[in-house]
Amino acid sequence: MIAHKRARLIGAAVLAAAVVGGVAACSSSGSGSSGSAGGSYTFWDPYPQFDASSDWTKLVEQCGTDAGVTVKRTGYDTSDLTNKALLAGQQGSSPDLLLVDNPVVSTLADAGILTSTSENKLDTADIQKNILAAGVLDGKTYGVPIGANTLALYYNKTVLKAAGVDIATVKDWSSLTDALGKVTAAGKKGITFSAIGTEEGSFQFLPWFWGSGANLKQLDSDKAVQSLALWTDWVKKGYAPNSVINNTQTTSWQEFATGDFAFGENGTWQLGNVKKAGIDYGILTVPGIDGGDAAAPTGGEFMTLPVQKDTARYATSKKIAECLTSTKNFVKTDTTLSYIAPTEAAQKEQVAANPELKPWVDAVAAAKGRTSDDLGTDYPKISQQLWGAVQNALSGSQTPQAALKAAQSAAEAATK
């Protein structure tokens, strides 16, 4: 069993509790039950929107039944789930299975809460390496991704056609900016995205940041400045609305759904909504500065097995996890969650059932984990400085260069 890093764990739990103003102690129903068939196993996930009648809950329960046990599932909001997981780990009362947002994996692993796949024997051989990378810390993998989503550019064919823009010509930043100029000159709106001062803002900025060739370990590089200058110039020229500063991904989507914008940066999860909006749309991967596909960040959750006092429980937890991450259930679950499956076999089944997913499979193949590049638990600290720099530059309070220089200094101090 993985060794507990008690001091680090307690510190992380206290910090988490402070962030949310205090979190109630968690029950120990998972760790105290017998590991034999017919027992009860606990499972926490970040899907409070799914009740007992949902397909997701039924699948979780069925996987428990197949393993000969009863699974008690609880859904929490993402931030609440992280805090509860940290405190439960501190108290030795972690759930048997824990599904968490991929950037959280390294935090929980570093705190000593999770077993590695070398310990719990979960198979990751068929998982795409770029998707799996988000769950790697210090050379060890802590879980299996149940799927991934990422960002791309939705485009409105009607708006582009009216402005005389051929989407085939949009291949890099320069040609995209030219297209935005033509669209706004024709009386329509250019592009909308989320630049809010939260993780959503960093998430949406990263394709452009990475697309410039910049690295999160050096926020004030010349390449990084180019990426922030791109967004800043778009806002100054009216190619992107001032509202992006406060836009969440949801409000940004609502702007694109009006039908007035040529482009909207958003994720796989909006496929159903774009059809409801009645927009004649297409999907374009975010271009790199000089062409090619920029790496967008991977979203999605990892199935993890937390440390238990009773190590005999791992065998059954593994069976439940394997059921939920089988090819059959990857397809069923990821289609329901608007995720792209993390294995080639499951992706092929998804595309065969819905060819509109093909551009998203390509986008996920080019995507990158936010905690990659050996950032691990440093990522949240760096991200906070990055979204702050974006806010300061777009609001005009600092130049892109000054904003990123200050961000780099703050990130260095935070990650020492």
Side-chain angles (χ1 to χ4, degrees), residues 41-46 56 81 85 94-109 113-117 120 122 124 132 134-136 141-146 300-308 314 317-318 320-322 324-325:
Y41 280 64
T42 49
F43 176 45
W44 295 356
D45 66 39
W56 169 246
L81 178 61
S94 294
D96 293 286
L97 297 101
L98 180 62
L99 190 65
V100 292
D101 194 17
N102 70 69
V104 176
V105 175
S106 58
T107 298
L108 299 181
I113 290 173
L114 305 179
T115 59
S116 69
T117 54
N120 59 43
L122 286 174
T124 61
L132 189 64
V136 176
T141 304
Y142 292 89
V144 177
I146 65 164
E301 288 79 40
F302 269 61
M303 183 69 67
T304 67
L305 302 188
V307 170
Q308 302 294 328
Y314 295 145
S317 295
K318 176 175 177 284
I320 298 168
E322 287 176 337
L324 290 168
T325 57

Side-chain angles (χ1 to χ4, degrees), residues 24-382:
C26 305
S27 73
S28 58
S29 59
S31 300
S33 304
S34 168
S36 62
S40 178
Y41 280 64
T42 49
F43 176 45
W44 295 356
D45 66 39
Y47 308 141
Q49 70 271 31
F50 295 134
D51 62 19
S53 66
S54 68
D55 289 342
W56 169 246
T57 300
K58 290 176 181 177
L59 175 61
V60 171
E61 292 175 346
Q62 183 60 52
C63 284
T65 300
D66 292 348
V69 298
T70 299
V71 176
K72 294 182 178 179
R73 173 194 164 260
T74 305
Y76 297 102
D77 288 329
T78 298
S79 58
D80 196 23
L81 178 61
T82 303
N83 294 323
K84 285 184 181 295
L86 285 166
L87 290 177
Q90 179 189 2
Q91 297 160 359
S93 59
S94 294
D96 293 286
L97 297 101
L98 180 62
L99 190 65
V100 292
D101 194 17
N102 70 69
V104 176
V105 175
S106 58
T107 298
L108 299 181
D110 186 64
I113 290 173
L114 305 179
T115 59
S116 69
T117 54
S118 62
E119 293 165 321
N120 59 43
K121 308 305 179 184
L122 286 174
D123 185 9
T124 61
D126 293 334
I127 306 294
Q128 285 186 346
K129 300 305 179 186
N130 64 319
I131 300 176
L132 189 64
V136 176
L137 179 68
D138 297 332
K140 293 183 178 181
T141 304
Y142 292 89
V144 177
I146 65 164
N149 55 30
T150 193
L151 298 167
L153 297 179
Y154 286 84
Y155 61 87
N156 188 316
K157 295 180 180 179
T158 303
V159 171
L160 292 177
K161 183 177 180 180
V165 175
D166 179 359
I167 192 63
T169 65
V170 179
K171 297 180 177 179
D172 52 22
W173 289 7
S174 177
S175 55
L176 175 57
T177 300
D178 287 344
L180 297 179
K182 291 178 181 178
V183 167
T184 53
K188 290 292 186 178
K189 299 177 181 179
I191 186 169
T192 179
F193 46 84
S194 169
I196 194 171
T198 68
E199 178 59 25
E200 285 189 74
S202 289
F203 187 73
Q204 288 242 320
F205 183 59
L206 280 173
W208 311 95
F209 184 88
W210 284 331
S212 72
N215 187 294
L216 285 169
K217 293 181 180 179
Q218 193 63 45
L219 296 180
D220 60 349
S221 68
D222 289 343
K223 292 178 179 178
V225 172
Q226 281 183 290
S227 65
L228 187 48
L230 178 74
W231 269 21
T232 304
D233 289 344
W234 284 350
V235 172
K236 284 182 179 178
K237 293 177 180 178
Y239 295 171
N242 289 324
S243 59
V244 297
I245 297 175
N246 297 313
N247 269 350
T248 63
Q249 292 183 103
T250 298
T251 55
S252 172
W253 178 259
Q254 290 168 348
E255 289 181 337
F256 181 75
T258 63
D260 291 332
F261 283 84
F263 296 93
E265 181 182 356
N266 229 293
T268 327
W269 55 90
Q270 299 293 5
L271 268 177
N273 289 328
V274 75
K275 295 174 184 176
K276 290 179 183 177
I279 293 173
D280 187 9
Y281 76 98
I283 304 292
L284 179 72
T285 52
V286 176
I289 185 170
D290 294 319
D293 296 338
T298 53
E301 288 79 40
F302 269 61
M303 183 69 67
T304 67
L305 302 188
V307 170
Q308 302 294 328
K309 294 175 184 177
D310 180 4
T311 59
R313 299 181 68 82
Y314 295 145
T316 298
S317 295
K318 176 175 177 284
K319 290 180 182 178
I320 298 168
E322 287 176 337
C323 173
L324 290 168
T325 57
S326 66
T327 295
K328 175 184 175 182
N329 287 330
F330 268 149
V331 174
K332 182 186 298 183
T333 299
D334 292 339
T335 299
T336 298
L337 298 175
S338 295
Y339 283 170
I340 298 301
T343 65
E344 185 178 351
Q347 287 174 359
K348 286 181 178 178
E349 287 193 26
Q350 283 185 299
V351 172
N354 182 6
E356 292 179 335
L357 290 176
K358 181 61 170 68
W360 290 106
V361 169
D362 295 339
V364 165
K368 180 177 177 179
R370 282 165 279 176
T371 56
S372 297
D373 298 328
D374 297 320
L375 292 180
T377 55
D378 285 343
Y379 172 75
K381 302 168 187 176
I382 295 170

